[in-house]
Amino acid sequence: MEERHYPFHEVEPRWQAFWQEIGLYRAPDRPERPKFYVLEMFPYPSGGDLHMGHLKNYAIGDVVARWALMQGYDVLHPMGWDAFGLPAENAAIKYGIHPKTWTDQNIVAYRHHLQLLGISYDWSRELATCWPDYYRWTQWLFLYLYHRGLAYRASEYVNFCPNCKTVLANEQVIDGLCERCKTPVVKKALEQWFFRITAYAERLLTDLQKLEGKWPDHILRQQAHWIGRSEGTEIHFRLAHRPDVRLPVFTTRADTLFGVTFLTIAPEHELLDTLLEDMDGTHRAAVEAYRQSALQKTDVERTAVGRPKTGVPTGLAVVHPYTGEALPLWVSDYVLAHYGTGIVMGVPAHDERDFEFARQYGLPVRPVVRPVDGVLPDPQTMGAAWVEKGIMEASGPFSGLPSDEGIRRIQEDLRARGLGGPAVSYRLRDWLISRQRYWGAPIPVVHCPQCGIVPVPEDQLPVRLPENVQNFLPTGRSPLEDVPAFMETTCPRCAGPARRDPDTMDTFVDSSWYFLRFIDAHNDRAPFDPEKANAWLPVDQYIGGAEHATKHLIYARFITKVLYDGGLLQYDEPFEHLFTQGLVLKRFWWCGHCLRPVEETEARKVQEETYLHTVCETTLESRLEMMSKSRGNVVPVGPFVEKHGADVARIAILFAGPPEKDFEWTDAIVEGGRNFLNRIWRLFLDTPAGPVPTEVDPADLDAEALLFYIRLQKTVRSVREDVAQFRFNTAVAQLMAFLNTMYEFPDRSHPVFRHAWYVYVRLLAPFAPHLAEELWHRLGYSTTVFRSPFPVENPDYLVETVVEIPVQVNGRVRATLRVPVDTDPATVEAMARSHPNVARYLEGRHVQKVVYVPNRLLNFVVS
Ligand code: ANZ
Ligand code: ZN
């Protein structure tokens, strides 16, 4: 007798080998049929096993990819590794293993697990960002930007983490802390490479419209906020003692211009160096000391409303462009160097921070805007700034104007006088891409004492990362600086001795273009063939974590636009649809005393739901958090698949809840998935062998079979719609419900029942591909189920309305039939005759007449 449980141990490897053998996932170089490019954000192959938290991303992608295959698309579904980055170096420091060795090992493990799960990747396109034949083209990309003026070097006060001893991008600073180690970030001046993403700020913002309805709204909102467009006015103030020098300010409230009582400049503003020369000794010393202390603070600290404002006067003055009044110039850290112009006009009466600052240093408060139906606030008694717009007063020729009109008029006037005009400011900063770390793509330039910065010629790429590096301890300078064989080179221009750039690129550069390389992964003459790229682009469905809303997802859009502008791509948006999946959470025990997660073996039960930590006797806390190695609450893929199989893992993940939501991984979910697949298996075994009709004519079906047929059509429709809309959990629920319907159907040899298998197996295929393929072959097919079409319902049979028909014999009700509405009279009569109670009253009698009122009543007149 055959195994009564789904024998995944035997079934899953068989079909995985079969799919490989027939090249099911091999995407053609250029699509011949309609194409579908589905991509999951590629993983960072970190230490530790691939676990169920990771699986969600891939399981979702796999349903989409398999479903697209069954829709007849040419599907491109590749996988690779975001393999450069700090964790590899940290592992190297901790375990004394080379970052490359560590990364290679992890890649092997991850690949193995993804293959165990049977995810439908075209492995022939595998890439890793740390492979020279990949980073060669990352370097090419750097040069592409460099030659277009989009990569530049500047000495900058950069975010610096004193603990990791490395420079961080703005995106890696969270609330003023290092994203990785949570140390407060400080500013440090360093020569750095930047990508000029701000040149694309406007397009990155306006093109968000193209993505509306295709990307989650919250991601679009976060990007818009990150780009942070602000419309305002630039106003130039001349220095009193040197009218040729102008200090531009950016303001959103030009209507308050006549209320300015001081100007403040950011401590790290480059103009300050020149201004220092004009200051007297006392002021200069104070300003320099202040600048040093300001650099230790985070932007958030510096600009928070309510935090005590600090600053120092410069002793210099500027001239008001209308009144000619001399206004003091201050330095204050509540002004950020990189927003607007880095200089603010201080209007204490109408701006909260300016108000706090003025009160702190006894600067005048001058109200110039009043409420529409009120009077100007009294500067003596004001307890806070009045920040609303209103009617301008005491504003020379602009007095009496509403704020917005006043702003427009001031803008026109300033422009006419060459003293400013309308201006737009963005929160987005240029992208700092140099890292003083080892495990990344070397920046392909040479520093020559004669020629300066010289790009490495394209035919000399890749600039290989040397492997013989031992010491990765962060020092604030790149470990490559200590590798003479790497550093010492000759200048490509003058052939004299020169030094390489010791820095490596931010790993977000690596991942900003990988979706292009998958299209042409083995091209050794170019990063990709534009013709192939344009045939496969855009990525039709991108799937990944919402945490990438502002980093990766903006950088990839930026690089795509740059390549579009260079004529290499026809698409200026890389990802047509984006789906962001929720997290997989898992409960674990936490000891508040030892401050660590506690394994079950260390927990002692004292009463229902109450456990003590055996080490310290503290009551353990039950916590529900994202699966992660550090919390010790992961369910690793390897052992799970060994125990339950890949299809159970997938069904569990997909059935647990809406894929965009977080959900808790529990034993019950696993149990549910396993039971479901076992029930399918058993029912299939219990279905007598026989021909499997690909079609049945509903007209041939009796009432019960018709009802069953209708339910099947409804299931097809729901599953089809659910899959298309990422409602995988309800799709699986529909499949479970229909399985019950199948169990209830009395005749398993009935053609409609066997036909149902023909449909059901295909509906199941994207969710439990191995089991579906097995059943498909048992139905008699020798080709893969994924080359058969995803089922489509018969639209004429979607309404399941049942009517109750009383059956009378000579006017007396003897039975009640439940039949589909509009069942034909002959069927109804036949059903009635075979009903035992009716049969009893008809037996031995002669039926003179049969009266049928459709859907209402059936009467036998007998004698
Ligand atoms: C004068 C003024 C008067 C302002 C007033 C506001 C209200 P958003 O909307 O974010 O663009 N500002 C300009 N550059 C700054 C910098 N580098 N650091 C800190 N603050 C800066 O904000 C623009 C406003 O933020 C500008 O308008 C400026 O203060 C301030 F009643 O100028 B306002
Ligand atoms: Zn040179």
Side-chain angles (χ1 to χ4, degrees), residues 251-271:
T251 177
T252 44
R253 294 294 306 276
D255 56 319
T256 64
L257 178 55
F258 286 76
V260 178
T261 58
F262 60 92
L263 245 63
T264 43
I265 183 166
E268 63 273 63
H269 202 291
E270 65 237 336
L271 243 178

PDB file of all heavy atoms in Angstrom, residues 251-271:
ATOM      1  N   THR A 251      14.454  80.854   2.476  1.00  0.00           N
ATOM      2  CA  THR A 251      13.327  80.960   3.405  1.00  0.00           C
ATOM      3  C   THR A 251      12.028  80.570   2.721  1.00  0.00           C
ATOM      4  O   THR A 251      11.860  80.807   1.517  1.00  0.00           O
ATOM      5  CB  THR A 251      13.190  82.385   3.980  1.00  0.00           C
ATOM      6  OG1 THR A 251      12.040  82.430   4.824  1.00  0.00           O
ATOM      7  CG2 THR A 251      13.034  83.435   2.874  1.00  0.00           C
ATOM      8  N   THR A 252      11.157  79.970   3.495  1.00  0.00           N
ATOM      9  CA  THR A 252       9.813  79.688   2.970  1.00  0.00           C
ATOM     10  C   THR A 252       8.882  80.854   3.303  1.00  0.00           C
ATOM     11  O   THR A 252       7.737  80.859   2.904  1.00  0.00           O
ATOM     12  CB  THR A 252       9.251  78.404   3.607  1.00  0.00           C
ATOM     13  OG1 THR A 252       9.526  78.423   5.004  1.00  0.00           O
ATOM     14  CG2 THR A 252       9.878  77.184   2.988  1.00  0.00           C
ATOM     15  N   ARG A 253       9.395  81.810   4.066  1.00  0.00           N
ATOM     16  CA  ARG A 253       8.538  82.896   4.534  1.00  0.00           C
ATOM     17  C   ARG A 253       9.133  84.266   4.210  1.00  0.00           C
ATOM     18  O   ARG A 253       9.399  85.088   5.100  1.00  0.00           O
ATOM     19  CB  ARG A 253       8.321  82.752   6.046  1.00  0.00           C
ATOM     20  CG  ARG A 253       7.525  81.513   6.462  1.00  0.00           C
ATOM     21  CD  ARG A 253       6.073  81.548   5.981  1.00  0.00           C
ATOM     22  NE  ARG A 253       5.376  82.750   6.392  1.00  0.00           N
ATOM     23  CZ  ARG A 253       4.787  82.906   7.578  1.00  0.00           C
ATOM     24  NH1 ARG A 253       4.824  81.930   8.464  1.00  0.00           N
ATOM     25  NH2 ARG A 253       4.174  84.034   7.888  1.00  0.00           N
ATOM     26  N   ALA A 254       9.261  84.516   2.904  1.00  0.00           N
ATOM     27  CA  ALA A 254       9.779  85.819   2.490  1.00  0.00           C
ATOM     28  C   ALA A 254       8.882  86.951   2.981  1.00  0.00           C
ATOM     29  O   ALA A 254       9.318  88.105   3.097  1.00  0.00           O
ATOM     30  CB  ALA A 254       9.922  85.863   0.972  1.00  0.00           C
ATOM     31  N   ASP A 255       7.639  86.632   3.293  1.00  0.00           N
ATOM     32  CA  ASP A 255       6.720  87.664   3.793  1.00  0.00           C
ATOM     33  C   ASP A 255       7.172  88.220   5.151  1.00  0.00           C
ATOM     34  O   ASP A 255       6.677  89.241   5.593  1.00  0.00           O
ATOM     35  CB  ASP A 255       5.296  87.106   3.902  1.00  0.00           C
ATOM     36  CG  ASP A 255       5.222  85.853   4.762  1.00  0.00           C
ATOM     37  OD1 ASP A 255       6.124  84.988   4.645  1.00  0.00           O
ATOM     38  OD2 ASP A 255       4.272  85.720   5.556  1.00  0.00           O
ATOM     39  N   THR A 256       8.118  87.520   5.801  1.00  0.00           N
ATOM     40  CA  THR A 256       8.585  88.002   7.105  1.00  0.00           C
ATOM     41  C   THR A 256       9.902  88.773   6.987  1.00  0.00           C
ATOM     42  O   THR A 256      10.551  89.059   7.993  1.00  0.00           O
ATOM     43  CB  THR A 256       8.802  86.824   8.084  1.00  0.00           C
ATOM     44  OG1 THR A 256       9.861  85.982   7.577  1.00  0.00           O
ATOM     45  CG2 THR A 256       7.534  85.991   8.252  1.00  0.00           C
ATOM     46  N   LEU A 257      10.263  89.104   5.770  1.00  0.00           N
ATOM     47  CA  LEU A 257      11.588  89.699   5.520  1.00  0.00           C
ATOM     48  C   LEU A 257      11.844  90.966   6.345  1.00  0.00           C
ATOM     49  O   LEU A 257      12.963  91.235   6.762  1.00  0.00           O
ATOM     50  CB  LEU A 257      11.734  89.990   4.015  1.00  0.00           C
ATOM     51  CG  LEU A 257      13.007  90.660   3.530  1.00  0.00           C
ATOM     52  CD1 LEU A 257      14.250  89.887   3.958  1.00  0.00           C
ATOM     53  CD2 LEU A 257      12.993  90.773   1.995  1.00  0.00           C
ATOM     54  N   PHE A 258      10.797  91.750   6.569  1.00  0.00           N
ATOM     55  CA  PHE A 258      11.011  92.995   7.315  1.00  0.00           C
ATOM     56  C   PHE A 258      11.098  92.750   8.822  1.00  0.00           C
ATOM     57  O   PHE A 258      11.342  93.679   9.589  1.00  0.00           O
ATOM     58  CB  PHE A 258       9.908  94.028   6.972  1.00  0.00           C
ATOM     59  CG  PHE A 258      10.115  94.625   5.603  1.00  0.00           C
ATOM     60  CD1 PHE A 258       9.805  93.891   4.454  1.00  0.00           C
ATOM     61  CD2 PHE A 258      10.642  95.911   5.451  1.00  0.00           C
ATOM     62  CE1 PHE A 258      10.025  94.432   3.184  1.00  0.00           C
ATOM     63  CE2 PHE A 258      10.856  96.450   4.182  1.00  0.00           C
ATOM     64  CZ  PHE A 258      10.551  95.716   3.054  1.00  0.00           C
ATOM     65  N   GLY A 259      10.916  91.492   9.208  1.00  0.00           N
ATOM     66  CA  GLY A 259      11.043  91.165  10.632  1.00  0.00           C
ATOM     67  C   GLY A 259      12.383  90.546  10.984  1.00  0.00           C
ATOM     68  O   GLY A 259      12.600  90.100  12.110  1.00  0.00           O
ATOM     69  N   VAL A 260      13.303  90.526   9.995  1.00  0.00           N
ATOM     70  CA  VAL A 260      14.621  89.930  10.244  1.00  0.00           C
ATOM     71  C   VAL A 260      15.408  90.810  11.220  1.00  0.00           C
ATOM     72  O   VAL A 260      15.503  92.017  11.021  1.00  0.00           O
ATOM     73  CB  VAL A 260      15.421  89.807   8.924  1.00  0.00           C
ATOM     74  CG1 VAL A 260      16.806  89.233   9.200  1.00  0.00           C
ATOM     75  CG2 VAL A 260      14.679  88.936   7.932  1.00  0.00           C
ATOM     76  N   THR A 261      15.971  90.204  12.264  1.00  0.00           N
ATOM     77  CA  THR A 261      16.785  91.002  13.191  1.00  0.00           C
ATOM     78  C   THR A 261      18.209  90.491  13.297  1.00  0.00           C
ATOM     79  O   THR A 261      19.024  91.074  13.984  1.00  0.00           O
ATOM     80  CB  THR A 261      16.140  91.054  14.599  1.00  0.00           C
ATOM     81  OG1 THR A 261      15.992  89.720  15.085  1.00  0.00           O
ATOM     82  CG2 THR A 261      14.772  91.728  14.550  1.00  0.00           C
ATOM     83  N   PHE A 262      18.495  89.338  12.651  1.00  0.00           N
ATOM     84  CA  PHE A 262      19.879  88.818  12.626  1.00  0.00           C
ATOM     85  C   PHE A 262      19.959  87.757  11.534  1.00  0.00           C
ATOM     86  O   PHE A 262      18.929  87.304  11.010  1.00  0.00           O
ATOM     87  CB  PHE A 262      20.271  88.227  13.992  1.00  0.00           C
ATOM     88  CG  PHE A 262      19.389  87.081  14.432  1.00  0.00           C
ATOM     89  CD1 PHE A 262      19.728  85.762  14.131  1.00  0.00           C
ATOM     90  CD2 PHE A 262      18.202  87.328  15.132  1.00  0.00           C
ATOM     91  CE1 PHE A 262      18.911  84.719  14.527  1.00  0.00           C
ATOM     92  CE2 PHE A 262      17.386  86.281  15.522  1.00  0.00           C
ATOM     93  CZ  PHE A 262      17.728  84.970  15.228  1.00  0.00           C
ATOM     94  N   LEU A 263      21.185  87.371  11.195  1.00  0.00           N
ATOM     95  CA  LEU A 263      21.401  86.239  10.286  1.00  0.00           C
ATOM     96  C   LEU A 263      22.234  85.203  11.037  1.00  0.00           C
ATOM     97  O   LEU A 263      23.081  85.581  11.855  1.00  0.00           O
ATOM     98  CB  LEU A 263      22.162  86.684   9.036  1.00  0.00           C
ATOM     99  CG  LEU A 263      21.397  86.598   7.703  1.00  0.00           C
ATOM    100  CD1 LEU A 263      20.219  87.538   7.748  1.00  0.00           C
ATOM    101  CD2 LEU A 263      22.297  86.928   6.523  1.00  0.00           C
ATOM    102  N   THR A 264      21.993  83.922  10.761  1.00  0.00           N
ATOM    103  CA  THR A 264      22.853  82.893  11.357  1.00  0.00           C
ATOM    104  C   THR A 264      23.379  81.986  10.251  1.00  0.00           C
ATOM    105  O   THR A 264      22.657  81.614   9.330  1.00  0.00           O
ATOM    106  CB  THR A 264      22.110  82.000  12.369  1.00  0.00           C
ATOM    107  OG1 THR A 264      20.852  81.667  11.838  1.00  0.00           O
ATOM    108  CG2 THR A 264      21.964  82.682  13.705  1.00  0.00           C
ATOM    109  N   ILE A 265      24.627  81.616  10.405  1.00  0.00           N
ATOM    110  CA  ILE A 265      25.277  80.755   9.430  1.00  0.00           C
ATOM    111  C   ILE A 265      25.678  79.455  10.133  1.00  0.00           C
ATOM    112  O   ILE A 265      25.996  79.456  11.330  1.00  0.00           O
ATOM    113  CB  ILE A 265      26.494  81.480   8.791  1.00  0.00           C
ATOM    114  CG1 ILE A 265      27.155  80.623   7.705  1.00  0.00           C
ATOM    115  CG2 ILE A 265      27.530  81.874   9.848  1.00  0.00           C
ATOM    116  CD1 ILE A 265      28.122  81.413   6.823  1.00  0.00           C
ATOM    117  N   ALA A 266      25.630  78.355   9.391  1.00  0.00           N
ATOM    118  CA  ALA A 266      25.981  77.050   9.960  1.00  0.00           C
ATOM    119  C   ALA A 266      27.460  77.008  10.316  1.00  0.00           C
ATOM    120  O   ALA A 266      28.288  77.546   9.577  1.00  0.00           O
ATOM    121  CB  ALA A 266      25.647  75.939   8.967  1.00  0.00           C
ATOM    122  N   PRO A 267      27.829  76.367  11.411  1.00  0.00           N
ATOM    123  CA  PRO A 267      29.230  76.361  11.860  1.00  0.00           C
ATOM    124  C   PRO A 267      30.185  75.749  10.840  1.00  0.00           C
ATOM    125  O   PRO A 267      31.338  76.140  10.771  1.00  0.00           O
ATOM    126  CB  PRO A 267      29.213  75.493  13.123  1.00  0.00           C
ATOM    127  CG  PRO A 267      27.793  75.328  13.501  1.00  0.00           C
ATOM    128  CD  PRO A 267      26.939  75.645  12.323  1.00  0.00           C
ATOM    129  N   GLU A 268      29.713  74.760  10.049  1.00  0.00           N
ATOM    130  CA  GLU A 268      30.636  74.119   9.103  1.00  0.00           C
ATOM    131  C   GLU A 268      30.480  74.687   7.694  1.00  0.00           C
ATOM    132  O   GLU A 268      30.955  74.094   6.727  1.00  0.00           O
ATOM    133  CB  GLU A 268      30.462  72.595   9.113  1.00  0.00           C
ATOM    134  CG  GLU A 268      29.115  72.065   8.681  1.00  0.00           C
ATOM    135  CD  GLU A 268      28.118  71.991   9.821  1.00  0.00           C
ATOM    136  OE1 GLU A 268      27.791  73.065  10.379  1.00  0.00           O
ATOM    137  OE2 GLU A 268      27.637  70.884  10.133  1.00  0.00           O
ATOM    138  N   HIS A 269      29.807  75.835   7.578  1.00  0.00           N
ATOM    139  CA  HIS A 269      29.613  76.457   6.265  1.00  0.00           C
ATOM    140  C   HIS A 269      30.964  76.852   5.668  1.00  0.00           C
ATOM    141  O   HIS A 269      31.810  77.419   6.354  1.00  0.00           O
ATOM    142  CB  HIS A 269      28.732  77.691   6.414  1.00  0.00           C
ATOM    143  CG  HIS A 269      28.052  78.085   5.141  1.00  0.00           C
ATOM    144  ND1 HIS A 269      28.741  78.583   4.068  1.00  0.00           N
ATOM    145  CD2 HIS A 269      26.748  78.034   4.766  1.00  0.00           C
ATOM    146  CE1 HIS A 269      27.890  78.839   3.074  1.00  0.00           C
ATOM    147  NE2 HIS A 269      26.660  78.493   3.476  1.00  0.00           N
ATOM    148  N   GLU A 270      31.167  76.562   4.369  1.00  0.00           N
ATOM    149  CA  GLU A 270      32.483  76.823   3.788  1.00  0.00           C
ATOM    150  C   GLU A 270      32.820  78.319   3.751  1.00  0.00           C
ATOM    151  O   GLU A 270      33.972  78.720   3.804  1.00  0.00           O
ATOM    152  CB  GLU A 270      32.612  76.177   2.405  1.00  0.00           C
ATOM    153  CG  GLU A 270      31.691  76.725   1.341  1.00  0.00           C
ATOM    154  CD  GLU A 270      30.800  75.638   0.724  1.00  0.00           C
ATOM    155  OE1 GLU A 270      31.192  74.456   0.783  1.00  0.00           O
ATOM    156  OE2 GLU A 270      29.721  75.996   0.203  1.00  0.00           O
ATOM    157  N   LEU A 271      31.756  79.170   3.673  1.00  0.00           N
ATOM    158  CA  LEU A 271      31.987  80.626   3.653  1.00  0.00           C
ATOM    159  C   LEU A 271      32.605  81.117   4.952  1.00  0.00           C
ATOM    160  O   LEU A 271      33.264  82.160   4.998  1.00  0.00           O
ATOM    161  CB  LEU A 271      30.644  81.328   3.465  1.00  0.00           C
ATOM    162  CG  LEU A 271      30.426  82.169   2.209  1.00  0.00           C
ATOM    163  CD1 LEU A 271      29.017  82.735   2.209  1.00  0.00           C
ATOM    164  CD2 LEU A 271      31.458  83.279   2.117  1.00  0.00           C
TER     165      LEU A 271
END
